[in-house]
């Protein structure tokens, strides 16, 4: 398969990348990171881009740092680098739980944290994680830098709050290594692509008495974009997370989803899976939280 | 023959080092001086009339050498032939043009081709061809195609009917009239995509001086391809040389002769330069043949005690838009004759209807007809067992052809050569601890868990085939095999075979066999295949025939070599041939241990020919042309154990046991490998694979992202074992193993899932058993089981 001809540049700084982005009319230039989503689209000629700007060699987009109650991961960090970071392993286990289920080793070796979130594939895993741990997405554009909460980032099918001339520079994931906190990622993979038919990221914080202080549920795959299951979260707060409570709360897990459908799984089945997997993810997260 | 070191040993495949280190020579690896590249513009419509094609922009594109449309080929190339003309079926073979003349009939049908300096330019130029299509109504399923008022594909095939083929044996009406029990069912064999790892590829090189064609090609049967190339292009057969050395899998999809092959030849001849065509994966999905796609309505007559007495089958097969090379033979002869399976049913009738639809042509896919047959009979065995409340094991034991009844002539009029179905079943049951499993199943059911055990006691027909049978079936060729065994002056051995192994490992097994027989190291034996310039003739690799037929030919030629060598040895040792014994590569005079000549010494003397006996010709080379006297009939028992997730419907295979009897085994590791791969494909059909068309005739599962070829994590550990019942009618005792795994496995998985869910009253789920389908079946069963008034 052959993509249409395109030009390629690999700038060494963020400023240079921003300048390149603005040097071409909108729609004719695009950033590329690991290329695991964009290159297949180009090769299948499902999209045509005149110029690619590779962000993977920009130092500002690399690095993993601790900032108190969160971990900041550079946008160009590969999945492989993220899962092998002791800091991420210790403080953001949910990232590990999800990323280790992304694609295959080749995809994880090249695909990036930033590329995955910026692409906002409705079946991508990381968006659910970003939602569940209140990630903050940091972007820089011609008019400066800003920070976007995950809950405001995933707007629609493959559409984010990023502006065309903005570069995602880093993502800050909230740490979940406090006592009585636990996370889990449960996924039903498409048997061919490995993408999430439904993926549920759950983060649970318990009170000392074992009742739920807060529960966050991020859902991907089922709908056109990743969302938080606010109804489920509210139904759990203050409760003991036993089987009956979880079942009752998760009965509403698919409410409000703009359900997708494909030959492998209908919207109805996706809704069903969302309820089943939300319960499984919450039960696992709660069990972990109870042990810490 | 005494079992020695090589025969029966797990010698590592000699093919593997070059293949897994990227040093194979696949067709796409071939680069010839001046070589151009071809790309094919394919119809985006399932069915449309071509009103106009404008190629001007493409022709003007820098790097483009030529652009051809269907009009350019008219009168210069014949349609792509169909080579299995089944008799007495009113078969219609509409013209299959390599580039559509005026109508496209499936997405993927060729419309134009570009020849350019490099493949990317050729691809770019496709986008510059303007085609004005007038879309026509589309029909994609055989049932729709059969309906009155359905869109018609071909003027010369009214009602879209390609053929109606019939078979009957015994008194079927009486069997049903007297039946105590009749079980009926409709089965759907979904459409599958073969997905060989290497897509189709050809490098055609016309030599204008010698007026000869050299073509490198990904074919399973180079000599058939040569013949069909001659028919299509009118280049004389003796002026065509096919080379197909490393072929990256076929599974049947590289038996046919394709438009792409013919187009590369046409362009090379027209331009006088080599032309390469390699399809991409998307093209492979739409333009290389598909498999299965058969709907059957089955009725089985039986007695209350479980004795099967009659069988009636009506099959509707989806042939796709045109008849591919071997297509008509697959859902008819290759399917119907083996339907009665390993049971003594003597009254059997089968009606097969083939329909044209706006889909990719279907043809042989691993097992070709026989997986459909084994699925049908083994699912029916379970349905009958449920009906008469017998254990699936007992219903099989009750109806098996007994071990002492062979050779056994079936209702399919086949003469099963040898078998012991009971022994294979017993072995498999012991391996899986059947009684223990049934107990565990009962316990888990108490906990609301769904464990299921599925059996498949299969028999298949392979080792294709006595040539007279091939002819009687309308196959436009023979199915014998030649072999040449040549011992060089240095004692090294060259074996020529007309089969064309492409993953099955016969470069190794044939070397083992010949090395063993001649008493030379296996490394000294080279197996040459896939070159019509070197190999006199051959019918290729498919139908699990390579070792049974091609191997037997090699065996015979090797025996002749030994006979000649023995005479020469006797002459040189001044002994009578009768006084010589041949062992471990040495001819020894009985009783005089010192008097001996090695086969290498004899080979040297034969090749220099300084001292030949009176009347003996020089050289040490023998050839044979072996035509088998019967098919072969491998059999066995596969058992699949599954657990179904009660919440999601996901099926997890807990254990998979494969007890196969493939006759004598030359290389156990290779046989295991063939079983593993075959079972993986069978599980693929049961659980994962499905080629789905939308109403417009678009293949919506047309990529690796949505068509599930199972990967290693989706296939369980396969526990293999064997019983060994030699084939009595060939010299090697080999039956064949290339397709057994696929033929045996699909129904084992489906039977297991249905068994798991039988407490819910579920008796069938259509393949593939995706989680959603299983979940829906469970939900529907639970809903209908709920007391009235409750949700
Ligand atoms: C075989 C296969 C299986 C896969 N399976 C999964 C799976 O199971 N789960 C899953 O979640 N994903 C899966 N993926 C997708 C994978 O995760 C991608 O890597 C990821 O979606 C994109 O990351 P990337 O770095 O490769 O982005 P690219 O493909 O390089 O870019 C993707 C998009 O993001 C934009 N972009 C990239 N970086 C930035 C940036 N810094 N700022 C702004 N925009 C940017 C690009 O312009 C482009 O639009 C799979 C991919 C493949 C090929």
């Amino acid at each position: 398969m052959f993509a249409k001809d395109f030009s390629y540049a690999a700038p060494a700084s963020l400023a240079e990348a921003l300048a390149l982005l603005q040097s071409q009319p909108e729609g004719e230039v695009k950033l590329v990171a690991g290329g695991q989503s964009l290159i297949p689209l180009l090769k299948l000629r499902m999209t045509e881009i005149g110029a690619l700007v590779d962000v993977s060699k920009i130092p500002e987009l690399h690095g993993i740092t601790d900032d108190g109650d969160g971990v900041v991961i550079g946008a160009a960090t590969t999945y492989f680098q993220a899962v092998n970071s002791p800091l991420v392993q210790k403080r953001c286990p949910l990232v590990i739980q999800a990323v280790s289920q992304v694609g295959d080793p080749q995809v994880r070796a090249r695909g990036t944290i930033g590329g995955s979130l910026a692409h906002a594939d409705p079946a991508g895993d990381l968006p659910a994680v970003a939602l569940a741990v209140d990630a903050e997405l940091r972007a820089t554009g011609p008019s400066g830098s800003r920070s976007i909460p995950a809950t405001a980032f995933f707007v629609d099918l493959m559409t984010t709050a990023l502006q065309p001339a903005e570069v995602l520079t880093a993502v800050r994931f909230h740490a979940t290594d406090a006592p009585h906190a636990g996370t889990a990622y449960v996924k039903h993979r498409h048997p061919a692509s490995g993408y999430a038919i439904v993926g549920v990221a759950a983060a649970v914080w318990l009170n000392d008495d074992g009742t739920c202080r807060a529960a966050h549920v991020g859902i991907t795959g089922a709908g056109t974009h990743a969302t938080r299951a606010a109804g489920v979260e509210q139904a759990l707060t203050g409760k003991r997370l036993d089987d009956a409570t979880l079942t009752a709360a998760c009965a509403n897990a698919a409410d409000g989803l703009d359900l997708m459908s494909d030959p492998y799984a209908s919207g109805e089945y996706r809704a069903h899976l969302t309820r089943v997997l939300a319960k499984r993810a919450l039960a696992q997260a709660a069990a972990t939280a109870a042990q810490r | 023959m005494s079992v020695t070191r090589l025969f029966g040993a797990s010698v590592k495949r000699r093919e593997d080092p070059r293949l897994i280190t990227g040093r194979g020579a696949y067709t796409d690896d071939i680069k010839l001086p001046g070589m151009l590249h071809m790309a094919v513009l394919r119809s985006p419509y399932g069915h449309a009339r071509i009103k106009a094609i404008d190629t001007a922009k493409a022709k003007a594109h820098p790097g483009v050498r030529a652009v051809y449309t269907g009009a350019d080929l008219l009168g210069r190339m014949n349609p792509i032939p169909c080579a299995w003309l089944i008799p007495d079926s009113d078969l219609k073979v509409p013209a299959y043009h390599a580039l559509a003349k005026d109508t496209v009939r499936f997405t993927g049908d060729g419309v134009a081709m570009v020849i350019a300096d490099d493949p990317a330019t050729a691809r770019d130029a496709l986008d510059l061809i303007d085609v004005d299509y007038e879309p026509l109504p589309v029909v994609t399923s055989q049932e729709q195609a059969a309906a009155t008022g359905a869109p018609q594909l071909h003027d010369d095939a009214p009602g879209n009917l390609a053929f109606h083929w019939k078979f009957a044996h015994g008194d079927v009406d009486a069997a049903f009239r007297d039946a105590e029990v009749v079980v009926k069912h409709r089965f759907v064999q979904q459409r599958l995509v073969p997905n060989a790892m290497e897509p189709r590829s050809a490098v055609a090189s016309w030599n204008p001086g010698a007026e000869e064609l050299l073509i490198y090609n990904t074919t399973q049967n180079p000599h058939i391809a040569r013949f069909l190339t001659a028919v299509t292009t009118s280049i004389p057969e003796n002026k065509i040389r096919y080379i197909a050395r490393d072929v990256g899998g076929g599974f049947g999809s590289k038996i046919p002769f394709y438009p792409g092959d013919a187009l590369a030849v046409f362009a090379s001849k027209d331009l006088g330069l080599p032309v390469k065509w390699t399809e991409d994966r998307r093209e492979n999905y739409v333009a290389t043949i598909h498999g299965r796609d058969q709907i059957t309505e089955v009725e089985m007559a039986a007695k209350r005690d479980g004795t099967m007495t009659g069988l009636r089958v009506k099959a509707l097969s989806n042939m796709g838009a045109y008849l591919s090379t071997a297509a008509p033979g697959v859902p008819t002869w290759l399917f119907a004759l083996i339907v009665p399976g390993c049971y003594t049913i003597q009254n059997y009738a089968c009606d097969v209807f083939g329909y044209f639809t706006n889909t990719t042509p279907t043809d042989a896919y691993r097992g070709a007809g026989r997986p459909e047959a084994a699925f049908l009979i083994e699912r029916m065995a379970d349905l009958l067992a449920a009906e008469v409340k017998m254990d699936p094991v007992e219903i099989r034991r009750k109806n098996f052809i007994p071990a002492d009844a062979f050779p056994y002539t079936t209702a399919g009029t086949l003469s099963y050569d040898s078998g012991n179905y009971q022994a294979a079943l017993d072995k498999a049951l012991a391996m899986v601890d059947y009684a223990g499993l049934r107990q565990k199943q009962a316990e888990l059911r108490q906990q609301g868990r769904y464990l299921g055990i599925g059996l498949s006691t299969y028999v298949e027909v392979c080792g294709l085939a006595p040539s007279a049978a091939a002819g009687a079936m309308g196959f436009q060729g023979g199915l014998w095999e030649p072999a040449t065994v040549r011992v060089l002056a240095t004692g090294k051995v060259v074996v020529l075979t007309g089969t064309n192994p492409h993953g099955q490992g016969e470069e190794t097994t044939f070397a083992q066999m010949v090395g063993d027989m001649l008493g030379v190291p296996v490394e000294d034996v080279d197996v040459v295949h896939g070159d019509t310039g070197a190999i006199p003739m051959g019918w290729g690799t498919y139908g699990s025939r390579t070792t049974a037929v091609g191997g037997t030919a090699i065996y015979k030629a090797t025996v002749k070599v030994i006979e000649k060598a023995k005479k020469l040895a006797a002459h040189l040792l001044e002994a009578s041939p009768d006084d010589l014994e041949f062992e471990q590569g040495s001819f020894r005079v009985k009783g005089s241990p010192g008097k001996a000549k090695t086969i290498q010494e004899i080979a040297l003397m034969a090749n220099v020919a300084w001292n030949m006996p009176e009347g003996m010709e020089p050289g040490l080379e023998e050839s044979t042309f072996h035509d088998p006297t019967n098919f072969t009939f491998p059999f066995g028992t596969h058992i699949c154990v599954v657990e179904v997730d009660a919440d999601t419907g996901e099926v997890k295979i807990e254990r998979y046991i494969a007890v196969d009897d493939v006759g004598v085994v030359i290389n156990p590791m290779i046989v295991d490998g063939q079983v593993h791969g075959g079972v993986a494909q069978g599980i693929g059909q049961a659980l994962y694979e499905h080629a789905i068309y939308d109403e417009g005739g678009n293949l919506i599962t047309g990529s690796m992202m949505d068509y599930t070829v199972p990967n290693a994590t989706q296939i369980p550990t396969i526990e293999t074992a064997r019983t060994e019942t030699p084939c009595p009618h060939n010299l090697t005792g080999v039956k064949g193993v290339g397709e057994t795994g696929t033929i045996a496995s699909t129904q084992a998985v489906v039977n297991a899932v249905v068994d798991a869910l039988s407490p819910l009253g579920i008796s069938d789920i259509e393949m593939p058993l995706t989680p959603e389908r299983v979940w829906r079946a469970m939900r529907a069963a639970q809903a209908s089981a709920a007391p009235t008034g409750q949700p």
Side-chain angles (χ1 to χ4, degrees), chain B residues 589-607:
Chain B
V589 181
K590 291 178 205 157
S592 326
K595 287 187 82 181
K597 291 266 180 217
T598 65
I599 184 83
Q600 288 88 351
E601 289 170 311
I602 300 300
L604 177 61
M605 292 313 290
N607 276 283

Side-chain angles (χ1 to χ4, degrees), chain A residues 30-31 33-38 79 103 112 116 118 124-125 168 187 194-195:
Chain A
K30 220 169 179 10
L31 300 179
Q36 296 303 291
S37 292
L38 187 57
Y79 289 123
T112 65
S116 157
D125 294 300
L168 186 64
K187 174 180 182 180
Y195 276 92

Side-chain angles (χ1 to χ4, degrees), chain A residues 30-40 55 61 75-76 79 101-104 107 110-119 121 123-127 162 166-169 187 189 193-196, chain B residues 705:
Chain A
K30 220 169 179 10
L31 300 179
V32 64
Q36 296 303 291
S37 292
L38 187 57
I39 300 297
V55 297
L61 269 59
Y79 289 123
Q101 297 188 51
V102 169
D104 50 45
V107 171
R110 288 206 61 90
T112 65
I113 300 294
S116 157
L117 294 168
H119 193 61
D121 192 300
D125 294 300
L126 217 47
L162 281 179
E166 276 184 320
V167 175
L168 186 64
T169 55
K187 174 180 182 180
R189 297 167 71 98
S193 73
Y195 276 92
Chain B
M705 294 298 271

Side-chain angles (χ1 to χ4, degrees), chain B residues 302-341:
Chain B
K303 294 193 199 157
R304 272 267 148 236
D305 69 357
T307 307
M308 301 170 182
T309 55
L311 196 59
R312 228 187 240 138
V313 178
K314 180 184 169 193
L316 305 185
S317 283
N318 190 336
M319 308 310 293
Y322 307 97
L323 293 177
S324 174
T325 306
V330 175
T332 53
W333 295 107
L334 292 179
F335 163 74
L337 299 193
I338 196 75
V339 163

Side-chain angles (χ1 to χ4, degrees), chain A residues 1-5 43-46 48 187-195 262-270 272-273 275-277 280, chain B residues 119-120 123-124 127 280-282 645-650 688 692 700-701 703-711 714 770-772 775-776 779:
Chain A
M1 283 184 226
F2 297 94
K4 265 220 151 128
D5 283 354
K43 284 189 147 194
L44 290 166
R45 299 199 177 204
M46 287 162 78
E48 272 177 32
K187 174 180 182 180
H188 182 107
R189 297 167 71 98
H190 186 289
S193 73
Y195 276 92
D262 67 20
Y264 174 74
S266 67
E268 193 186 1
Y269 184 62
R270 281 180 151 87
H272 172 73
L273 276 182
R275 293 186 280 266
V276 172
L277 301 191
R280 289 182 182 176
Chain B
R123 172 64 189 85
D124 281 343
D127 289 350
D280 65 30
R281 185 56 63 181
R282 286 290 259 219
D645 186 317
D647 293 325
T648 63
E650 282 164 282
Y688 298 113
I692 305 171
I700 51 177
T701 51
S703 83
M704 292 284 186
M705 294 298 271
D706 21 51
Y707 182 96
T708 309
V709 178
N711 63 36
Q714 288 158 323
T770 61
E772 174 161 6
W775 170 72
R776 284 190 183 280
R779 204 177 52 153

Side-chain angles (χ1 to χ4, degrees), chain B residues 750-778:
Chain B
V750 176
N751 279 344
V753 175
V754 171
D755 180 60
L757 302 178
S758 58
L760 298 172
I762 289 171
S763 60
D764 194 30
I765 304 176
E766 214 172 274
M767 295 187 292
L769 307 185
T770 61
E772 174 161 6
R773 286 185 173 190
V774 175
W775 170 72
R776 284 190 183 280
M778 293 170 81

Side-chain angles (χ1 to χ4, degrees), chain B residues 198-284:
Chain B
E198 177 207 28
R200 299 252 340 132
S201 183
V203 179
S205 180
W206 175 254
N207 177 337
E211 301 202 323
E212 280 173 1
L213 174 71
L214 169 65
I215 176 167
Y216 296 84
N217 189 263
T218 56
T219 177
Q220 297 174 220
N221 28 253
H223 293 87
I224 294 180
R226 179 179 68 176
F227 171 74
L228 296 176
T229 302
V231 170
T232 309
T233 64
S234 305
I235 300 170
E237 191 181 4
N238 60 339
K239 294 288 191 182
I240 302 172
R241 178 176 175 199
Y242 257 82
I243 299 182
R245 194 65 209 269
D246 282 331
V247 175
F251 313 114
S253 75
K254 291 173 183 169
I255 297 171
F257 179 68
Y258 285 91
D261 304 323
L263 292 175
V265 172
F266 176 89
S268 175
K269 198 173 169 202
D270 198 51
L271 299 171
L273 286 168
V275 171
K276 176 186 280 187
W277 168 64
T278 300
E279 65 181 4
D280 65 30
R281 185 56 63 181
R282 286 290 259 219
E283 279 185 288
N284 181 266

